[in-house]
């Protein structure tokens, strides 16, 4: 099985450091990818660059692409209530949210052109393009 390394950069340092990437095992209903939770107060671009520069067991990293409620639940369990960067953006076309890297790179997951099967779970009134440039 080809395992990927999904990374989430936490926007706080309140959590204890995890010593190694965590496997979301297929036998537990997962996708067989490893998840690394990095504690750093960085912006999205820096998180993306850090994820792409990382590797684990020979696999390149990427910011996590959350493609199901089960994957979101797995991530929420690991990060608790902390904020984390994931790999989606509408920087290319306002309102068209795509996965920027990882196995889903280029796929639209929200907005015009998103397939009905695409998963997204925004908070109330999001995305809202806050402050004229939230991507």
């Amino acid at each position: 099985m080809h395992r990927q390394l999904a990374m989430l950069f936490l926007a706080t340092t309140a959590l204890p450091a995890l010593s190694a990437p965590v496997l979301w095992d297929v036998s537990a209903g997962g996708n067989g990818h490893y998840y690394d939770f990095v504690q750093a107060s960085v912006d999205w671009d820096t998180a993306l660059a850090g994820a792409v520069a990382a590797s684990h067991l020979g696999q390149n990293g990427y910011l996590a692409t959350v493609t199901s409620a089960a994957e979101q639940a797995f991530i929420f369990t690991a990060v608790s209530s902390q904020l984390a960067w994931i790999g989606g953006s509408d920087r290319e076309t306002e309102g068209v949210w795509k996965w920027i890297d990882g196995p889903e790179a280029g796929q639209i997951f929200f907005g015009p052109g998103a397939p009905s099967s695409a998963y997204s779970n925004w908070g109330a009134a999001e995305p809202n393009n806050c402050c004229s440039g939230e991507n």
Side-chain angles (χ1 to χ4, degrees):
M1 167 178 272
H2 184 70
R3 298 179 190 253
Q4 301 285 320
L5 173 63
M7 301 186 72
L8 289 107
F9 278 74
L10 305 179
T12 181
T13 58
L15 294 176
L18 297 176
S19 59
V22 177
L23 175 64
W24 189 25
D25 203 330
V26 173
S27 66
N31 58 13
H33 295 188
Y34 283 91
Y35 291 76
D36 196 4
F37 304 94
V38 178
Q39 297 177 19
S41 293
V42 298
D43 61 23
W44 186 85
D45 289 310
T46 302
L48 176 64
V52 170
S55 66
H56 179 68
L57 298 176
Q59 296 300 313
N60 293 333
Y62 63 95
L63 285 178
T65 54
V66 185
T67 61
S68 70
E71 185 173 17
Q72 182 172 329
F74 172 79
I75 290 169
F76 275 8
T77 298
V79 301
S80 184
S81 62
Q82 304 304 311
L83 298 175
W85 293 119
I86 62 172
S89 178
D90 74 340
R91 185 175 282 170
E92 185 179 300
T93 304
E94 187 61 39
V96 178
W97 288 84
K98 293 181 180 181
W99 296 118
I100 300 304
D101 60 349
E104 288 81 19
Q107 293 179 14
I108 299 171
F109 67 93
F110 184 80
S116 61
S117 61
Y119 178 78
S120 65
N121 187 14
W122 296 102
E126 295 289 350
N128 64 11
N129 199 32
C130 173
C131 313
S132 300
E134 183 178 57
N135 294 309

